[in-house]
Amino acid sequence: MKHRLMAAAGLAAVLLGATLATTACGNGSGAAGSTGKIDTKGDKNATGTLTVWLQVDAQSSWPNAVKAATTSFHKKYPKVTVKVSYQAWNDHLTKLDAALTGKHVPDVVEMGDTETTSYLANGAFRDLTDSKNLFADSANWNSGLAASCTYEGKVYCVPYYSGSRIVFYRKDMFAKAGIGAPPKTLAELMTDGGKLNKKYGSDPKFSAFYMPGKFWYSAMSFVQDAGGTIATKKGGKWVGGLDSPAAIKGLTQWKALSDQLSAASKTSDEANPQQYTVMAQGHVAMMYGLGWEGASVSADGNGGNPKLKDSIGSFAMPSGSGKEAMQSFAGGSDLAITAKSQHPDWAAAWTAAMTSQSNEKLLMKAGNVPNTTTLLAQAKSDPALAAAASSATDSWMVPISTGWPKVEKSSILQNGLSDIATGKKSVADACKQMNQQVEQALNGS
């Protein structure tokens, strides 16, 4: 997923706050203020339109879940029209910022879990603290996603799904290269990659392991696995950890994998082009992707290749430090009700339907990790989802700081990693620069 926050976010939220007082009054059609309890009992006579912004992943990979949520919503509000608009990750925040300062504000918006902090801090979303029990199994929400919805003890959004990353591989290529089972350690993965290179290396497009140079979610997992971290808060200030020996060790391992096993561009990321579309072309033996991407490789449409339907397997990314598996980034999405929504009751009812346990099971079938630990245990027993669910159990998260969006917006990590991948800078020099820039961004200097 692409998580990018535009500079206008803070300004938009400030302007939003200035106008809340004039827009947050009741109008007899589900309206309420930006705080207080929400009533989702339903109204058979209510009329109007509920506007929902979801990311395009829902349209392409789990449209049945969206349809089911709306069907459930209409049992309470049969005369209310639900308008779902699908957004792209690369510009949805720009559009949201513009909408928040205007009169036509979406009622429900999907947010990447690293995008929420500034919006929560600036009052862009409705306080759901007193209404948390309206949402299914809210006592057992995924801790990483729940943290991304929480600011100063208040709850401002609802966990939607988690997108833990795992390795997808070509079972047929492994077999022809003489590899009997997926690797259990990073060293085994490198050895297997060498065997794949020997078998298929005459193809100039071949990647034993596809790894773009700006794929920071993967690189930071290597840092975490080696015992490092991006930054920690000490004495009220953020202290960077990317110049530590552990971080350098992890990124040295990441560079070795990139150098020896990948023909991917050293200056692009995992979304440009989408990794699954590259793997679908037949020149990739392994890739590190989100749970739903494995099915997309062999999908009929959207860049998939149905001929690979029975060829794609998965396993958790092996650790280089003796752990059961490498920690995965706790990526995912949340659903928030905008503070300026004129229909918070309707918005809450639709959000509750979209995140109900029955709907979360539909998301699981699409390859997503569910939003609660209750369903996570069930996901681990599903062979198709077990690797992703296990990976999500031990995950890591970016620093929870209002300065984090600046790190992403400035592409600090992406550019530093590209310098490492291309050899423009040594691992140590690039780590030193990234660390300094991350500290400055997190501490607002």
Side-chain angles (χ1 to χ4, degrees):
M1 294 172 213
K2 294 296 293 177
H3 298 161
R4 193 158 62 92
L5 188 62
M6 306 305 292
L11 175 61
V14 171
L15 293 173
L16 168 69
T19 58
L20 278 176
T22 59
T23 60
C25 56
N27 66 4
S29 60
S34 63
T35 60
K37 275 209 166 185
I38 293 175
D39 179 0
T40 60
K41 294 179 180 177
D43 184 346
K44 304 294 184 185
N45 297 314
T47 60
T49 299
L50 177 75
T51 304
V52 178
W53 283 14
L54 295 180
Q55 296 309 112
V56 70
D57 311 304
Q59 184 181 32
S60 61
S61 299
W62 50 90
N64 57 334
V66 180
K67 183 179 180 181
T70 298
T71 298
S72 178
F73 170 82
H74 276 145
K75 292 178 181 176
K76 292 185 174 182
Y77 300 98
K79 296 180 180 178
V80 173
T81 299
V82 177
K83 181 181 178 183
V84 180
S85 297
Y86 294 97
Q87 312 297 320
W89 284 106
N90 62 354
D91 67 355
H92 80 114
L93 293 180
T94 303
K95 294 174 66 175
L96 177 60
D97 293 342
L100 289 176
T101 58
K103 294 182 179 178
H104 303 291
V105 181
D107 299 290
V108 180
V109 295
E110 178 183 348
M111 300 290 293
D113 62 352
T114 66
E115 296 174 335
T116 57
T117 309
S118 290
Y119 290 87
L120 269 56
N122 287 304
F125 301 143
R126 187 183 177 84
D127 182 351
L128 300 176
T129 308
D130 293 335
S131 306
K132 186 178 173 183
N133 63 350
L134 294 175
F135 307 103
D137 203 20
S138 56
N140 296 307
W141 279 344
N142 174 302
S143 58
L145 293 180
S148 70
C149 282
T150 305
Y151 183 75
E152 295 186 344
K154 299 283 188 178
V155 177
Y156 292 94
C157 53
V158 179
Y160 177 19
Y161 68 88
S162 179
S164 181
R165 286 180 171 81
I166 55 178
V167 180
F168 294 102
Y169 74 106
R170 285 280 300 273
K171 292 185 290 187
D172 54 334
M173 284 185 168
F174 268 48
K176 290 179 180 178
I179 304 169
K184 299 291 187 184
T185 67
L186 186 60
E188 289 180 10
L189 186 148
M190 296 299 291
T191 299
D192 290 345
K195 293 178 181 176
L196 290 161
N197 275 340
K198 186 176 180 180
K199 179 69 177 178
Y200 298 98
S202 60
D203 176 0
K205 296 181 181 179
F206 180 71
S207 287
F209 200 117
Y210 185 82
M211 183 61 72
K214 290 187 175 180
F215 191 0
W216 71 271
Y217 299 109
S218 70
M220 292 302 115
S221 287
F222 278 75
V223 169
Q224 203 76 24
D225 183 60
T229 187
I230 298 174
T232 55
K233 201 166 190 179
K234 297 177 182 176
K237 290 194 66 174
W238 287 97
V239 179
L242 288 176
D243 61 349
S244 69
I248 293 171
K249 178 184 176 182
L251 291 181
T252 299
Q253 293 173 326
W254 177 78
K255 178 175 170 54
L257 186 152
S258 173
D259 287 348
Q260 297 174 34
L261 305 184
S262 178
S265 169
K266 309 298 184 189
T267 58
S268 66
D269 61 25
E270 76 284 2
N272 297 291
Q274 287 284 346
Q275 292 190 105
Y276 75 84
T277 64
V278 179
M279 192 170 191
Q281 293 171 17
H283 306 285
V284 172
M286 290 181 277
M287 73 169 194
Y288 189 43
L290 292 158
W292 54 266
E293 290 187 277
S296 297
V297 172
S298 58
D300 188 3
N302 295 318
N305 181 357
K307 293 181 180 178
L308 300 179
K309 182 180 179 181
D310 298 322
S311 302
I312 306 300
S314 65
F315 57 89
M317 183 72 179
S319 168
S321 59
K323 300 175 185 174
E324 185 175 349
M326 185 175 287
Q327 285 178 277
S328 173
F329 170 63
S333 281
D334 305 312
L335 296 176
I337 299 170
T338 57
K340 290 177 74 174
S341 169
Q342 291 297 292
H343 311 295
D345 294 355
W346 304 352
W350 191 89
T351 300
M354 190 62 189
T355 57
S356 67
Q357 295 219 342
S358 60
N359 243 40
E360 288 292 326
K361 290 178 181 177
L362 293 177
L363 295 177
M364 288 163 62
K365 288 183 178 178
N368 294 297
V369 176
N371 68 345
T372 72
T373 55
T374 306
L375 290 174
L376 186 62
Q378 183 175 326
K380 288 181 178 178
S381 65
D382 180 347
L385 203 55
S390 297
S391 182
T393 303
D394 186 20
S395 58
W396 60 273
M397 185 61 178
V398 299
I400 305 299
S401 163
T402 55
W404 180 255
K406 186 176 180 180
V407 176
E408 292 201 31
K409 173 180 171 290
S410 303
S411 298
I412 291 171
L413 300 181
Q414 293 94 323
N415 292 335
L417 293 168
S418 184
D419 286 346
I420 291 173
T422 59
K424 182 179 179 179
K425 291 183 179 176
S426 68
V427 175
D429 286 347
C431 281
K432 182 178 180 181
Q433 178 173 302
M434 285 190 289
N435 194 65
Q436 182 181 31
Q437 292 174 334
V438 166
E439 282 189 346
Q440 289 175 345
L442 295 183
N443 291 312
S445 55

